[in-house]
Amino acid sequence: MNDELYDIGDPVVDGKVPAGPIEDRWTTRKFEAKQINPANKRKKKIIIIGTGLAGGSAGATLGEAGYHVQQFCFQDSPRRAHSIAAQGGINAAKNYRNDGDSVYRLFYETVKGGDFRSRESNVYRLADISRNIIDQCVAQGVPFAREYGGLLDNRSFGGTQVSRTFYARGQTGQQLLLGAYQALMRQVEMGNVELFPRHEMLDLIMEDGRARGVVVRNLINGEVKNYTADAVVLASGGYGNVYFLSTNAMGSNVTASWRAHRHGALFANPCYTQIHPTCIPVSGDHQSKLTLMSESLRNDGRVWVPKKGGDDRRPADIPEDERDYYLERIYPSFGNLVPRDIASRAAKNVCDEGRGVGPGGLGVYLDFADAIGRLGRDKVEAKYGNLFEMYERITGENPYDTPMRIYPAVHYTMGGLWVDYDLESTVPGLFVIGEANFSDHGANRLGASALMQGLADGYFVLPATINDYIARNALPPVADTAIAEAEERVNGRIDKLLSIDGDRSVDSFHRELGHIMWEYCGMERTEEGLRKALELIPALREEFWTRVKVTGKGEELNQQLEKAGRVADFLELGELMVIDALHRSESCGGHFRAESQDDEGEAKRDDDAFGYVAAWGWQGEGARPVLRKETLNFEYVKPTQRSYK
Amino acid sequence: MKLTLRVWRQSGPRDKGGMVEYKLDDISPDASFLEMLDVLNEKLIADGGEPVAFDHDCREGICGMCSLVINGTPHGPERNTTTCQLHMRKFRDGEVIDVEPWRAKAFPVVKDLVVDRSAFDRIIQSGGYITAPTGTAPEAHAAPVPKPDADAAFEAAECIGCGACVAACPNGSAALFLGAKITHLGLMPQGQPERWDRAVSMLDTHDGEGFGGCTNTGECTVACPKGIGLDVIGRLNGDYLKASAGGKKK
Ligand SMILES: Cc1cc2nc3c(=O)[nH]c(=O)nc-3n(C[C@H](O)[C@H](O)[C@H](O)COP(=O)(O)OP(=O)(O)OC[C@H]3O[C@@H](n4cnc5c(N)ncnc54)[C@H](O)[C@@H]3O)c2cc1C
Ligand code: FES
């Protein structure tokens, strides 16, 4: 046991999932939720942090419902939230292909894909709502791909055998976000939403144990200000940037969630990180981020490496029978379309065997020669043209002539703040939506399901549950002392960061942390490595607080200061991720513990010991975290070993 | 690679600003332009200087956050490419490179290479949307959209709102940005009811924000990292004229 690392607390009782058949639970919940009459809504204030798919859709919908919404993001425009980068598509159980799809099948596959570590009721609701999302987006003018008959086109994604993914070339996230952004802008024009771009939330205002507002820094002039409200919504995205190199946008960070965690919001399953198999490999020390090549490429691209180790011939010179199409070989029924965790680990394995290609041997080929032969270059270009162009720009190689080189990279975080069925955290009045919460994906996330969750949460779920909280709670104006305390925390931290004046840049700490995380808490984790990380991270954190150099002043646009605050939080989160990974001595989804594998090297889950969500509580600086478990019950999808063979 | 950079430094909106020269001598040709600036900033910090402020986020060519006028051209010399996707292998060893912010009346400089593009959001607020309240949408297949229209709408909708068109235009006009949105929404059946009002109110806001008029010089489309064509401006003008002439104007 790891008793020295954490305490065990009371179990978390899953709140607010209504009883009854799974198909009826959401209807029941909506019916039981207390309503607020429109005239009163105008007097109620909601703060939303984030303008991605989750925050943007929530802001548009809550503004339209009549609430007074104040919405913040750190970019210069809400349209630039990280969601804009999503490429491949969004799932919905429309069954437009008549291939046997249904809400139940999407639900089933998502629970299975999550390796039985997600909550059934939430996933069912997500699958059900998925159909409304497409209707909503089409009505807003999102230009999804269409067929000649004018109807919507679909494609398929890793981990599924039906075609249920709606897409807009390789820019689905962009188009969905623009839809939400435009709807949000309309509410701004109507005066229902007040928008604060280039503002960063740095702390929560807490009163009587409730979230009552936020303290933000205006990133243009450095002014620190408070905003109070009846409820606060975090839609602040994921924390993959703890690894420094990831596919996330440069600004993505954990600060909003982490500040809430320190006020009592449980952080669930922090170690569940999705490693995406199809990214462009690292090219050198200057590297600042990794670029994803959409998973949809695996519909037509074939993945292979040379059969022999150390074979450095050009790919075209390696004959067919000296190539190992290892995904097709090991997983004949899913082939190149196995889920991400499986494809990533398989790539790592062949590279570990010395069969990787490209610089450093950290790469595998994604080859379109067959597809170009079968469909013609034009068709391939129509389907993937912009992705091919992007690849060429970054690597200087032309993927029409030579196979792409890909390698896994950190992409998405399934962990996040714990929320109940209403999407409310363990801090009353604090709601968490989109990638920032932990709720729907379990230990793994199938392709095209994050966009679905962000929009389901923002357009449909939160707007139906937040009413209930506001209607049931008398929320008097916030006392000045609560506000002053929060502002003091923020100013104190800024002053401290600026006063250290050490000799190491913020980035150098971030890179070093990222390195530790990738090495010991990356694609494969061992007890030994994780323990090593637990020595390295606290030491690095200590060094940060004595040696970091933050240039400039607080009262100005200061990008070093912004980064420093975020890295400081990553240094605390990193340790919790490692503790979580260490305590979970099973393998599941994105969490592969080398000690827990079957004879064929596949992940071995241990449902009896670990069939729960690990929700961690903060017990103070320097104190051990407390582990609180939410037991997962599977009434509909019986846990089986996941097999894609 | 060895490089000489001449970078625009301006401590705040009221500062006059000017070009400052920096030498770099160990830049990988595989680095992106922004990664090259990261290297410069690390060096400035190590030498006790102030790093250069510049805007960026996705570094994937899609968020529209990066800007920079490089050697006089918004987003630099490569066609259809954002600054974050521009790689140093496109430059010569020993080259002198000028780096400046977007220049336009409607985009005031905030600091160094960072400018304020919020006028774009206000243009969208004044009509760049389809009114479709959540939860009331008809079944998605109820209104088919011919594929050519959907494709053309998509191509216009690819605009990333970076503002390069404005920075490139001698008049500081945002007609390409505006035309792209008008075209995207105007090509879809869903966008018809608000089509005429949209053209009028968006163009009014555009002018009110201090963007200049379009004189068809075409610099915008050359600078556009997404290759949005001048035809969208034709559509903007057409819709505006029809709206005004047909008494459809509000
Ligand atoms: C390259 C790429 C491709 C992807 N492709 C797909 C795909 O094809 N299909 C799919 O389903 N998913 C995909 N994903 C995943 C998906 O895009 C994200 O999970 C999802 O968009 C997250 O949305 P969000 O609204 O939760 O957060 P985000 O879009 O990350 O938005 C976060 C928001 O919070 C704001 N914010 C954060 N912290 C603060 C703070 N402290 N103060 C103020 N504001 C703050 C930010 O400014 C931003 O507005 C992809 C992701 C990447 C990186
Ligand atoms: S940083 Fe996003 S487009 Fe360049």
Side-chain angles (χ1 to χ4, degrees), chain A residues 61 64 75 77 79 94 96 135 138 141 150 171 181-182 198 250-251 288-289 393-394 505 557 559, chain B residues 35 42 54-55 57-60 89 111 121 128 132 134 139-141 145 155 158-159 181 184 190:
Chain A
T61 307
E64 189 178 276
Q75 292 92 350
S77 163
R79 65 177 290 147
K94 284 284 200 185
Y96 284 163
D135 298 342
V138 165
Q171 281 132 276
Y181 157 78
Q182 288 167 194
R198 288 207 205 262
M250 299 301 286
S288 60
K289 75 159 290 174
R393 218 167 270 141
I394 294 172
S505 71
L557 186 147
Q559 295 173 330
Chain B
E35 286 168 344
E42 285 290 295
F54 61 93
D55 264 334
D57 199 24
C58 73
R59 295 203 175 185
E60 287 197 9
R89 68 177 79 88
K111 182 177 180 177
D121 287 331
T134 311
E139 178 10 83
H141 268 179
V145 182
E155 272 155 29
E158 273 191 290
C159 164
K181 190 49 55 192
H184 161 209
Q190 300 87 322

Side-chain angles (χ1 to χ4, degrees), chain A residues 16 46 129 140 186 206 215 290 463 485 496 536 581 638:
Chain A
K16 302 190 192 137
I46 297 175
I129 289 175
Q140 287 172 343
R186 177 168 168 257
M206 296 287 297
V215 177
L290 295 169
E485 277 169 25
K496 187 162 172 201
L536 297 173
K638 287 287 161 230

Side-chain angles (χ1 to χ4, degrees), chain A residues 32 40 46 139 307 345 350 373 391 398 421 425 434 556 615 635:
Chain A
E32 286 171 354
N40 285 340
I46 297 175
K307 279 191 178 150
R345 228 174 31 257
V350 295
Y391 180 86
N398 178 351
Y421 191 67
S425 74
E556 62 176 354
E635 299 167 64

Side-chain angles (χ1 to χ4, degrees), chain A residues 57 60-61 64 74-82 84-85 87 94 96 134-136 138-144 146-152 168-171 174-175 178 181-183 185-186 188-189 195 197-198 220 247-252 283 286-292 389-390 392-396 459-460 505 507-508 549 551-553 556-560, chain B residues 11 28 30-32 35 38-39 41-42 45 48-60 62-65 78-81 85-87 89 110-111 114-118 120-122 124-126 128-141 143-148 150-151 153-155 157-162 177 181 184-185 188 190 194 226:
Chain A
S57 55
T61 307
E64 189 178 276
F74 62 73
Q75 292 92 350
D76 69 332
S77 163
R79 65 177 290 147
R80 308 205 204 282
H82 169 61
I84 197 105
Q87 297 172 348
K94 284 284 200 185
Y96 284 163
I134 302 304
D135 298 342
Q136 176 66 25
V138 165
Q140 287 172 343
V142 170
F144 283 118
R146 301 226 169 217
E147 295 174 331
Y148 282 97
L151 301 180
L152 294 156
R169 293 214 194 137
Q171 281 132 276
Q174 177 192 37
Q175 294 309 319
L178 291 180
Y181 157 78
Q182 288 167 194
M185 288 295 113
R186 177 168 168 257
V188 172
E189 178 81 352
L195 192 67
R198 288 207 205 262
I220 295 211
T247 63
N248 287 199
M250 299 301 286
S252 298
S283 73
H286 56 263
Q287 195 97 27
S288 60
K289 75 159 290 174
L290 295 169
T291 302
L292 175 76
E389 249 176 71
M390 180 157 101
E392 179 165 12
R393 218 167 270 141
I394 294 172
T395 62
Y459 281 132
F460 299 103
S505 71
D507 262 359
S508 77
K549 179 166 186 79
T551 55
K553 304 191 297 282
E556 62 176 354
L557 186 147
N558 185 339
Q559 295 173 330
Q560 291 295 316
Chain B
S11 63
S28 162
D30 288 331
S32 71
E35 286 168 344
D38 292 341
V39 173
N41 278 347
E42 285 290 295
I45 295 168
E50 273 277 325
V52 181
F54 61 93
D55 264 334
H56 63 104
D57 199 24
C58 73
R59 295 203 175 185
E60 287 197 9
I62 188 82
C63 74
M65 185 102 174
E78 199 180 4
R79 282 295 289 266
N80 297 338
T81 303
Q85 294 288 290
L86 176 65
H87 282 70
R89 68 177 79 88
V110 177
K111 182 177 180 177
V114 175
V115 303
D116 177 359
R117 289 170 282 191
S118 52
F120 270 14
D121 287 331
R122 290 187 290 275
I124 299 296
Q125 279 158 32
S126 67
Y129 48 75
I130 288 171
T131 300
T134 311
T136 59
E139 178 10 83
H141 268 179
V145 182
K147 182 170 164 54
D151 285 351
F154 171 84
E155 272 155 29
E158 273 191 290
C159 164
I160 58 176
C162 64
F177 168 78
K181 190 49 55 192
H184 161 209
L185 299 176
M188 315 276 272
Q190 300 87 322
E194 292 161 303
K226 296 295 151 182

